[in-house]
Amino acid sequence: MVDAQCFYDPQISGGAGRPTRRQRRQNSAPPRPAKSGAGTYSRDSDLPRLIHRLPGELGTNDTERARSIVARLKCALRAERRKGRAGHRSYDLNRHIALKTALDAESGELARLCEARTSKRKTPA
């Protein structure tokens, strides 16, 4: 953010009353890194927005429902990739990243559910 004093102090602003690009760049704060990864993914808030389903339609952590969610996310990610490759004006890099993050998190959850389900079957009687 440009300091308001720069506009009035001719020594700081180079005498023109307005800071130069270099001065504005030096005065601005460095950009914060974007949050990314499965740690920032929230199923309740992000998933309905990504695959256009209501939270009630998503249900619990049932294996079949998790497979359905993963399949929908894969389909949405494929569509977003096609838009990006074609240079379509509605392509959104943030949506692409969010879809990939959600797919990674949901795939991990599905793998955990499948593993828990198979470990229950293999327990000795």
Side-chain angles (χ1 to χ4, degrees):
M1 185 154 196
V2 178
D3 194 359
Q5 186 179 8
C6 292
F7 289 106
Y8 302 109
D9 192 355
Q11 291 179 344
I12 295 175
S13 63
R18 184 172 179 208
T20 63
R21 282 186 184 165
R22 179 176 289 160
Q23 289 169 340
R24 286 193 304 262
R25 207 175 320 132
Q26 289 172 350
N27 289 339
S28 65
R32 294 182 184 175
K35 294 192 292 183
S36 64
T40 62
Y41 170 71
S42 172
R43 185 180 202 186
D44 295 333
S45 63
D46 295 342
L47 197 56
R49 179 177 48 86
L50 293 173
I51 59 173
H52 306 293
R53 294 289 176 251
L54 297 173
E57 294 176 5
L58 299 176
T60 60
N61 288 339
D62 184 34
T63 306
E64 291 302 318
R65 193 161 304 253
R67 287 182 192 193
S68 172
I69 290 171
V70 168
R72 288 175 193 256
L73 284 170
K74 284 182 180 179
C75 182
L77 187 59
R78 273 193 304 265
E80 201 65 29
R81 283 182 181 149
R82 279 194 306 265
K83 284 188 212 175
R85 285 189 192 130
H88 196 272
R89 64 184 178 92
S90 67
Y91 173 72
D92 185 9
L93 180 61
N94 290 324
R95 177 174 166 76
H96 192 144
I97 292 169
L99 283 167
K100 179 65 174 137
T101 302
L103 180 62
D104 291 344
E106 292 294 330
S107 295
E109 182 68 20
L110 177 62
R112 188 188 64 76
L113 286 172
C114 290
E115 186 176 315
R117 190 173 185 184
T118 57
S119 66
K120 285 181 183 177
R121 289 182 186 169
K122 293 182 180 181
T123 55

